[in-house]
Amino acid sequence: MRLLNTKTLEFVEIVRPEEFKYAILSHTWGEEEVSFEDFRKSESKRLQGYKKIEAFCAQAQIDGFDHVWIDTCCIDKKSSAELSEAINSMYKWYSWAKICYVHFSDFSLATDDIMRRSRWFTRGWTLQELLASRQILFYDQHWHYIGNKIELAVTIACQSGIEESYIEGKKTVREASVAARMSWASKRQTSRPEDQAYCLMGLYKVNMPLLYGEGGFKAFQRLQHEIIKVSEDESLFAWYEHKVGARSGVFASSPLAFWRCGDIEPVMRSPIQRSPYSITSRGLSIDATYQPVPLSRLPNHFRRCAGADTKVTEFLLLPLKCARKDPQNSDPTSSRKVPRNISAILLMPITGDYDNVFVRVLPHENKLWERFSNPKENLQHRKIFIQQPSN
C-alpha cells in the first residue's frame, strides 16, 4: 500500500497497513484529478485535484495524522497488477483507516445547499467507503466541518436507502441479506460499466480478477458466481424486473434488478433443504424443491413464453429460502410450512437434447408463491439446471 506523507507530500510504501495509523479520503472525481504519474509535475500544482490533496493533507495533519491515502495519486493505474491489488483490497483499506474524510465537492455550508443532493450519494465506489469505514467525518467543498456519520445518520439513511443501524455500526454489513446489499447499490453509477460489479466485491468478501473490456453484464455475472461460492443466501435470486413473461437466467443482469429488494431477508429455519449449487455448462445446477404449476393456471403472459411448444404442459414454482420482512410477524419462519410471503421464481422447461433444463420466466410482481402455490400439494424434489442466457 502506498501512502502520502502529510508534511513532505512524499510517498511511502508500507507492508502491513492494518498495523499503520493513516487517514483515508472518500470523494467524487472531478475534471482535474492528479494521478500518481503526474503528481511530481510542477504544472499539476495548479490543478483543483492537487489543491484537494493539499487540503486533505492539511486537515489530516491538524488531526494528528502523518500519512494519508487517496485513490487518485496513491495508485499507479498504469500497472494492471497494482490496480487489481488496490481494487481487491480497497474495502479492507477503508476499514483499517483510523478516520475516513468525506469531501463534498458540490456542497457548501455557506450557501445552505441541500447536502443529500451531492454526487457522493450516487456513486458506486462511495458505497463501500461509507460502509467499510469505522469513523467518518464529513466536510463541504471548502473543507468546513459538517458532522460525523453518527450525527448525520438520519440524512445518510434517507438518501442512501440504508438502514440507520448499519450506518451507526449497530449492525454489521454481513447481517444484511445479499439482496439488501445489492439494493443499496442499485441506483448508484460508475464511470466504467465493469465497476458496477468490482465496487461491490468488498461488501461480499469476494475477490476476482479485473477484466476491463468484458462489459458490465459479464462482470456482474462473475460477481454473482463468486457470491454463491461463499454464501447460501438465496436472496441473490430474489430480484425481479418488469419484463413480463420474458425469459431470463437465475442471475440478474445488473444491481438495478434489486432496487426493490431492500426488505428481503434469509429464512433460516426453512423446510427447504438443498445441496450446494454449482455452475455447469448447462447452467446453475440446483437441488430443486418445488411445486409444479399447470400451464392452464398461469396468466397469458406466462403461457406465451412456451409459444407453440406443445411439450410444455407445466412450469415449476421454486420457493427460495428468503422472504420479505413481515411487519405482522417478526418470525415468519416459526412454522415448518413454507411461509406465504416467501420469495419464489417461476421456471419453464426447455425441450431439447437434455432433460431437466429450465429457464426463468420473469414476473410482474414478487408474490409468485402466494399466487400460484397449492397449500394442499406436497413439495417435490429433483436436480435441475437453470440456463443463463447471454446478454
Side-chain angles (χ1 to χ4, degrees), residues 66-91:
D66 294 329
H67 297 90
V68 297
W69 187 87
I70 179 171
D71 56 357
T72 52
C73 65
C74 290
I75 306 173
D76 181 2
K77 297 177 181 65
K78 286 199 168 183
S79 167
S80 58
E82 183 172 328
L83 179 61
S84 180
E85 179 189 3
I87 289 180
N88 275 277
S89 304
M90 207 168 290
Y91 191 94

PDB file of all heavy atoms in Angstrom, residues 66-91:
ATOM      1  N   ASP A  66       0.159  11.570  10.147  1.00  0.00           N
ATOM      2  CA  ASP A  66       1.358  11.806   9.331  1.00  0.00           C
ATOM      3  C   ASP A  66       1.219  11.218   7.932  1.00  0.00           C
ATOM      4  O   ASP A  66       1.991  11.577   7.038  1.00  0.00           O
ATOM      5  CB  ASP A  66       2.594  11.193  10.007  1.00  0.00           C
ATOM      6  CG  ASP A  66       2.938  11.878  11.315  1.00  0.00           C
ATOM      7  OD1 ASP A  66       2.676  13.096  11.433  1.00  0.00           O
ATOM      8  OD2 ASP A  66       3.459  11.193  12.219  1.00  0.00           O
ATOM      9  N   HIS A  67       0.248  10.310   7.754  1.00  0.00           N
ATOM     10  CA  HIS A  67       0.108   9.644   6.453  1.00  0.00           C
ATOM     11  C   HIS A  67      -1.365   9.528   6.065  1.00  0.00           C
ATOM     12  O   HIS A  67      -2.235   9.355   6.932  1.00  0.00           O
ATOM     13  CB  HIS A  67       0.736   8.253   6.484  1.00  0.00           C
ATOM     14  CG  HIS A  67       2.215   8.273   6.732  1.00  0.00           C
ATOM     15  ND1 HIS A  67       2.754   8.227   8.012  1.00  0.00           N
ATOM     16  CD2 HIS A  67       3.261   8.366   5.860  1.00  0.00           C
ATOM     17  CE1 HIS A  67       4.064   8.277   7.908  1.00  0.00           C
ATOM     18  NE2 HIS A  67       4.405   8.350   6.630  1.00  0.00           N
ATOM     19  N   VAL A  68      -1.618   9.624   4.769  1.00  0.00           N
ATOM     20  CA  VAL A  68      -2.978   9.513   4.234  1.00  0.00           C
ATOM     21  C   VAL A  68      -2.960   8.680   2.964  1.00  0.00           C
ATOM     22  O   VAL A  68      -1.902   8.429   2.369  1.00  0.00           O
ATOM     23  CB  VAL A  68      -3.580  10.907   3.926  1.00  0.00           C
ATOM     24  CG1 VAL A  68      -3.708  11.743   5.194  1.00  0.00           C
ATOM     25  CG2 VAL A  68      -2.744  11.641   2.868  1.00  0.00           C
ATOM     26  N   TRP A  69      -4.163   8.284   2.552  1.00  0.00           N
ATOM     27  CA  TRP A  69      -4.312   7.574   1.274  1.00  0.00           C
ATOM     28  C   TRP A  69      -5.459   8.207   0.505  1.00  0.00           C
ATOM     29  O   TRP A  69      -6.507   8.524   1.074  1.00  0.00           O
ATOM     30  CB  TRP A  69      -4.612   6.091   1.507  1.00  0.00           C
ATOM     31  CG  TRP A  69      -4.621   5.263   0.246  1.00  0.00           C
ATOM     32  CD1 TRP A  69      -3.557   4.656  -0.351  1.00  0.00           C
ATOM     33  CD2 TRP A  69      -5.755   4.964  -0.577  1.00  0.00           C
ATOM     34  NE1 TRP A  69      -3.958   3.990  -1.487  1.00  0.00           N
ATOM     35  CE2 TRP A  69      -5.302   4.163  -1.656  1.00  0.00           C
ATOM     36  CE3 TRP A  69      -7.109   5.293  -0.518  1.00  0.00           C
ATOM     37  CZ2 TRP A  69      -6.146   3.681  -2.653  1.00  0.00           C
ATOM     38  CZ3 TRP A  69      -7.955   4.815  -1.519  1.00  0.00           C
ATOM     39  CH2 TRP A  69      -7.482   4.021  -2.562  1.00  0.00           C
ATOM     40  N   ILE A  70      -5.231   8.404  -0.791  1.00  0.00           N
ATOM     41  CA  ILE A  70      -6.260   8.923  -1.693  1.00  0.00           C
ATOM     42  C   ILE A  70      -6.151   8.179  -3.015  1.00  0.00           C
ATOM     43  O   ILE A  70      -5.046   7.942  -3.517  1.00  0.00           O
ATOM     44  CB  ILE A  70      -6.108  10.451  -1.885  1.00  0.00           C
ATOM     45  CG1 ILE A  70      -7.183  10.985  -2.845  1.00  0.00           C
ATOM     46  CG2 ILE A  70      -4.720  10.837  -2.328  1.00  0.00           C
ATOM     47  CD1 ILE A  70      -7.222  12.510  -2.918  1.00  0.00           C
ATOM     48  N   ASP A  71      -7.271   7.786  -3.582  1.00  0.00           N
ATOM     49  CA  ASP A  71      -7.249   6.890  -4.739  1.00  0.00           C
ATOM     50  C   ASP A  71      -6.715   7.539  -6.011  1.00  0.00           C
ATOM     51  O   ASP A  71      -6.299   6.841  -6.934  1.00  0.00           O
ATOM     52  CB  ASP A  71      -8.633   6.297  -5.000  1.00  0.00           C
ATOM     53  CG  ASP A  71      -9.716   7.347  -5.195  1.00  0.00           C
ATOM     54  OD1 ASP A  71      -9.424   8.554  -5.079  1.00  0.00           O
ATOM     55  OD2 ASP A  71     -10.880   6.953  -5.444  1.00  0.00           O
ATOM     56  N   THR A  72      -6.700   8.848  -6.085  1.00  0.00           N
ATOM     57  CA  THR A  72      -6.244   9.500  -7.320  1.00  0.00           C
ATOM     58  C   THR A  72      -4.739   9.346  -7.533  1.00  0.00           C
ATOM     59  O   THR A  72      -4.296   8.964  -8.612  1.00  0.00           O
ATOM     60  CB  THR A  72      -6.595  10.995  -7.303  1.00  0.00           C
ATOM     61  OG1 THR A  72      -6.105  11.584  -6.083  1.00  0.00           O
ATOM     62  CG2 THR A  72      -8.087  11.215  -7.407  1.00  0.00           C
ATOM     63  N   CYS A  73      -3.943   9.615  -6.489  1.00  0.00           N
ATOM     64  CA  CYS A  73      -2.484   9.662  -6.672  1.00  0.00           C
ATOM     65  C   CYS A  73      -1.726   8.540  -5.977  1.00  0.00           C
ATOM     66  O   CYS A  73      -0.524   8.400  -6.190  1.00  0.00           O
ATOM     67  CB  CYS A  73      -1.938  11.011  -6.199  1.00  0.00           C
ATOM     68  SG  CYS A  73      -2.129  11.300  -4.427  1.00  0.00           S
ATOM     69  N   CYS A  74      -2.379   7.740  -5.167  1.00  0.00           N
ATOM     70  CA  CYS A  74      -1.671   6.687  -4.430  1.00  0.00           C
ATOM     71  C   CYS A  74      -1.696   5.334  -5.125  1.00  0.00           C
ATOM     72  O   CYS A  74      -1.201   4.344  -4.584  1.00  0.00           O
ATOM     73  CB  CYS A  74      -2.241   6.564  -3.016  1.00  0.00           C
ATOM     74  SG  CYS A  74      -1.847   7.981  -1.952  1.00  0.00           S
ATOM     75  N   ILE A  75      -2.288   5.263  -6.299  1.00  0.00           N
ATOM     76  CA  ILE A  75      -2.295   4.034  -7.104  1.00  0.00           C
ATOM     77  C   ILE A  75      -1.669   4.339  -8.452  1.00  0.00           C
ATOM     78  O   ILE A  75      -2.067   5.302  -9.130  1.00  0.00           O
ATOM     79  CB  ILE A  75      -3.722   3.504  -7.336  1.00  0.00           C
ATOM     80  CG1 ILE A  75      -4.475   3.317  -6.026  1.00  0.00           C
ATOM     81  CG2 ILE A  75      -3.678   2.182  -8.101  1.00  0.00           C
ATOM     82  CD1 ILE A  75      -5.956   2.961  -6.226  1.00  0.00           C
ATOM     83  N   ASP A  76      -0.694   3.536  -8.853  1.00  0.00           N
ATOM     84  CA  ASP A  76      -0.135   3.649 -10.198  1.00  0.00           C
ATOM     85  C   ASP A  76      -1.052   2.864 -11.136  1.00  0.00           C
ATOM     86  O   ASP A  76      -0.942   1.649 -11.272  1.00  0.00           O
ATOM     87  CB  ASP A  76       1.286   3.077 -10.230  1.00  0.00           C
ATOM     88  CG  ASP A  76       1.925   3.206 -11.612  1.00  0.00           C
ATOM     89  OD1 ASP A  76       1.277   3.763 -12.526  1.00  0.00           O
ATOM     90  OD2 ASP A  76       3.071   2.742 -11.778  1.00  0.00           O
ATOM     91  N   LYS A  77      -1.971   3.582 -11.762  1.00  0.00           N
ATOM     92  CA  LYS A  77      -3.002   2.910 -12.566  1.00  0.00           C
ATOM     93  C   LYS A  77      -2.467   2.386 -13.895  1.00  0.00           C
ATOM     94  O   LYS A  77      -3.186   1.702 -14.620  1.00  0.00           O
ATOM     95  CB  LYS A  77      -4.185   3.858 -12.779  1.00  0.00           C
ATOM     96  CG  LYS A  77      -4.866   4.220 -11.453  1.00  0.00           C
ATOM     97  CD  LYS A  77      -5.985   5.205 -11.632  1.00  0.00           C
ATOM     98  CE  LYS A  77      -6.614   5.564 -10.287  1.00  0.00           C
ATOM     99  NZ  LYS A  77      -5.671   6.278  -9.401  1.00  0.00           N
ATOM    100  N   LYS A  78      -1.216   2.714 -14.228  1.00  0.00           N
ATOM    101  CA  LYS A  78      -0.605   2.130 -15.423  1.00  0.00           C
ATOM    102  C   LYS A  78      -0.165   0.695 -15.176  1.00  0.00           C
ATOM    103  O   LYS A  78       0.091  -0.042 -16.130  1.00  0.00           O
ATOM    104  CB  LYS A  78       0.578   2.983 -15.876  1.00  0.00           C
ATOM    105  CG  LYS A  78       0.171   4.292 -16.546  1.00  0.00           C
ATOM    106  CD  LYS A  78       1.304   4.869 -17.370  1.00  0.00           C
ATOM    107  CE  LYS A  78       0.813   6.007 -18.262  1.00  0.00           C
ATOM    108  NZ  LYS A  78       1.890   6.522 -19.125  1.00  0.00           N
ATOM    109  N   SER A  79      -0.061   0.324 -13.921  1.00  0.00           N
ATOM    110  CA  SER A  79       0.285  -1.053 -13.556  1.00  0.00           C
ATOM    111  C   SER A  79      -1.008  -1.822 -13.302  1.00  0.00           C
ATOM    112  O   SER A  79      -1.704  -1.575 -12.315  1.00  0.00           O
ATOM    113  CB  SER A  79       1.164  -1.070 -12.299  1.00  0.00           C
ATOM    114  OG  SER A  79       1.263  -2.376 -11.778  1.00  0.00           O
ATOM    115  N   SER A  80      -1.320  -2.743 -14.190  1.00  0.00           N
ATOM    116  CA  SER A  80      -2.562  -3.512 -14.029  1.00  0.00           C
ATOM    117  C   SER A  80      -2.527  -4.355 -12.758  1.00  0.00           C
ATOM    118  O   SER A  80      -3.556  -4.547 -12.101  1.00  0.00           O
ATOM    119  CB  SER A  80      -2.799  -4.403 -15.256  1.00  0.00           C
ATOM    120  OG  SER A  80      -1.709  -5.283 -15.452  1.00  0.00           O
ATOM    121  N   ALA A  81      -1.353  -4.855 -12.387  1.00  0.00           N
ATOM    122  CA  ALA A  81      -1.238  -5.660 -11.174  1.00  0.00           C
ATOM    123  C   ALA A  81      -1.510  -4.811  -9.936  1.00  0.00           C
ATOM    124  O   ALA A  81      -2.215  -5.236  -9.019  1.00  0.00           O
ATOM    125  CB  ALA A  81       0.157  -6.283 -11.083  1.00  0.00           C
ATOM    126  N   GLU A  82      -0.958  -3.582  -9.916  1.00  0.00           N
ATOM    127  CA  GLU A  82      -1.180  -2.705  -8.760  1.00  0.00           C
ATOM    128  C   GLU A  82      -2.630  -2.257  -8.685  1.00  0.00           C
ATOM    129  O   GLU A  82      -3.214  -2.190  -7.594  1.00  0.00           O
ATOM    130  CB  GLU A  82      -0.259  -1.483  -8.837  1.00  0.00           C
ATOM    131  CG  GLU A  82      -0.389  -0.573  -7.634  1.00  0.00           C
ATOM    132  CD  GLU A  82       0.657   0.536  -7.611  1.00  0.00           C
ATOM    133  OE1 GLU A  82       1.783   0.308  -8.106  1.00  0.00           O
ATOM    134  OE2 GLU A  82       0.341   1.634  -7.098  1.00  0.00           O
ATOM    135  N   LEU A  83      -3.228  -1.960  -9.829  1.00  0.00           N
ATOM    136  CA  LEU A  83      -4.631  -1.541  -9.841  1.00  0.00           C
ATOM    137  C   LEU A  83      -5.534  -2.669  -9.348  1.00  0.00           C
ATOM    138  O   LEU A  83      -6.449  -2.445  -8.556  1.00  0.00           O
ATOM    139  CB  LEU A  83      -5.043  -1.118 -11.250  1.00  0.00           C
ATOM    140  CG  LEU A  83      -6.498  -0.681 -11.434  1.00  0.00           C
ATOM    141  CD1 LEU A  83      -6.810   0.534 -10.566  1.00  0.00           C
ATOM    142  CD2 LEU A  83      -6.808  -0.396 -12.897  1.00  0.00           C
ATOM    143  N   SER A  84      -5.248  -3.900  -9.787  1.00  0.00           N
ATOM    144  CA  SER A  84      -6.054  -5.045  -9.367  1.00  0.00           C
ATOM    145  C   SER A  84      -5.916  -5.280  -7.866  1.00  0.00           C
ATOM    146  O   SER A  84      -6.916  -5.519  -7.163  1.00  0.00           O
ATOM    147  CB  SER A  84      -5.624  -6.304 -10.126  1.00  0.00           C
ATOM    148  OG  SER A  84      -6.386  -7.416  -9.729  1.00  0.00           O
ATOM    149  N   GLU A  85      -4.701  -5.181  -7.348  1.00  0.00           N
ATOM    150  CA  GLU A  85      -4.491  -5.354  -5.909  1.00  0.00           C
ATOM    151  C   GLU A  85      -5.243  -4.283  -5.121  1.00  0.00           C
ATOM    152  O   GLU A  85      -5.881  -4.578  -4.100  1.00  0.00           O
ATOM    153  CB  GLU A  85      -3.000  -5.287  -5.575  1.00  0.00           C
ATOM    154  CG  GLU A  85      -2.719  -5.431  -4.091  1.00  0.00           C
ATOM    155  CD  GLU A  85      -1.271  -5.163  -3.722  1.00  0.00           C
ATOM    156  OE1 GLU A  85      -0.477  -4.798  -4.603  1.00  0.00           O
ATOM    157  OE2 GLU A  85      -0.938  -5.309  -2.525  1.00  0.00           O
ATOM    158  N   ALA A  86      -5.188  -3.041  -5.604  1.00  0.00           N
ATOM    159  CA  ALA A  86      -5.840  -1.938  -4.895  1.00  0.00           C
ATOM    160  C   ALA A  86      -7.357  -2.121  -4.855  1.00  0.00           C
ATOM    161  O   ALA A  86      -7.990  -1.960  -3.802  1.00  0.00           O
ATOM    162  CB  ALA A  86      -5.479  -0.607  -5.560  1.00  0.00           C
ATOM    163  N   ILE A  87      -7.952  -2.463  -5.983  1.00  0.00           N
ATOM    164  CA  ILE A  87      -9.418  -2.603  -6.027  1.00  0.00           C
ATOM    165  C   ILE A  87      -9.876  -3.796  -5.196  1.00  0.00           C
ATOM    166  O   ILE A  87     -10.901  -3.726  -4.503  1.00  0.00           O
ATOM    167  CB  ILE A  87      -9.896  -2.714  -7.486  1.00  0.00           C
ATOM    168  CG1 ILE A  87      -9.743  -1.341  -8.179  1.00  0.00           C
ATOM    169  CG2 ILE A  87     -11.340  -3.192  -7.570  1.00  0.00           C
ATOM    170  CD1 ILE A  87     -10.178  -1.310  -9.620  1.00  0.00           C
ATOM    171  N   ASN A  88      -9.111  -4.880  -5.223  1.00  0.00           N
ATOM    172  CA  ASN A  88      -9.477  -6.046  -4.422  1.00  0.00           C
ATOM    173  C   ASN A  88      -9.229  -5.840  -2.930  1.00  0.00           C
ATOM    174  O   ASN A  88      -9.789  -6.553  -2.105  1.00  0.00           O
ATOM    175  CB  ASN A  88      -8.712  -7.286  -4.903  1.00  0.00           C
ATOM    176  CG  ASN A  88      -9.375  -7.990  -6.069  1.00  0.00           C
ATOM    177  OD1 ASN A  88     -10.284  -8.787  -5.874  1.00  0.00           O
ATOM    178  ND2 ASN A  88      -8.956  -7.671  -7.294  1.00  0.00           N
ATOM    179  N   SER A  89      -8.398  -4.841  -2.584  1.00  0.00           N
ATOM    180  CA  SER A  89      -8.055  -4.583  -1.183  1.00  0.00           C
ATOM    181  C   SER A  89      -8.760  -3.368  -0.610  1.00  0.00           C
ATOM    182  O   SER A  89      -8.674  -3.108   0.594  1.00  0.00           O
ATOM    183  CB  SER A  89      -6.536  -4.382  -1.038  1.00  0.00           C
ATOM    184  OG  SER A  89      -5.812  -5.473  -1.538  1.00  0.00           O
ATOM    185  N   MET A  90      -9.457  -2.612  -1.446  1.00  0.00           N
ATOM    186  CA  MET A  90      -9.924  -1.288  -1.044  1.00  0.00           C
ATOM    187  C   MET A  90     -10.873  -1.316   0.147  1.00  0.00           C
ATOM    188  O   MET A  90     -10.808  -0.453   1.032  1.00  0.00           O
ATOM    189  CB  MET A  90     -10.568  -0.580  -2.237  1.00  0.00           C
ATOM    190  CG  MET A  90     -10.482   0.932  -2.147  1.00  0.00           C
ATOM    191  SD  MET A  90     -10.917   1.750  -3.703  1.00  0.00           S
ATOM    192  CE  MET A  90      -9.517   1.326  -4.727  1.00  0.00           C
ATOM    193  N   TYR A  91     -11.768  -2.275   0.200  1.00  0.00           N
ATOM    194  CA  TYR A  91     -12.695  -2.359   1.332  1.00  0.00           C
ATOM    195  C   TYR A  91     -11.917  -2.503   2.634  1.00  0.00           C
ATOM    196  O   TYR A  91     -12.225  -1.839   3.639  1.00  0.00           O
ATOM    197  CB  TYR A  91     -13.658  -3.528   1.140  1.00  0.00           C
ATOM    198  CG  TYR A  91     -14.817  -3.536   2.115  1.00  0.00           C
ATOM    199  CD1 TYR A  91     -16.032  -2.951   1.784  1.00  0.00           C
ATOM    200  CD2 TYR A  91     -14.702  -4.123   3.380  1.00  0.00           C
ATOM    201  CE1 TYR A  91     -17.109  -2.951   2.681  1.00  0.00           C
ATOM    202  CE2 TYR A  91     -15.762  -4.129   4.268  1.00  0.00           C
ATOM    203  CZ  TYR A  91     -16.961  -3.545   3.919  1.00  0.00           C
ATOM    204  OH  TYR A  91     -18.004  -3.544   4.812  1.00  0.00           O
TER     205      TYR A  91
END
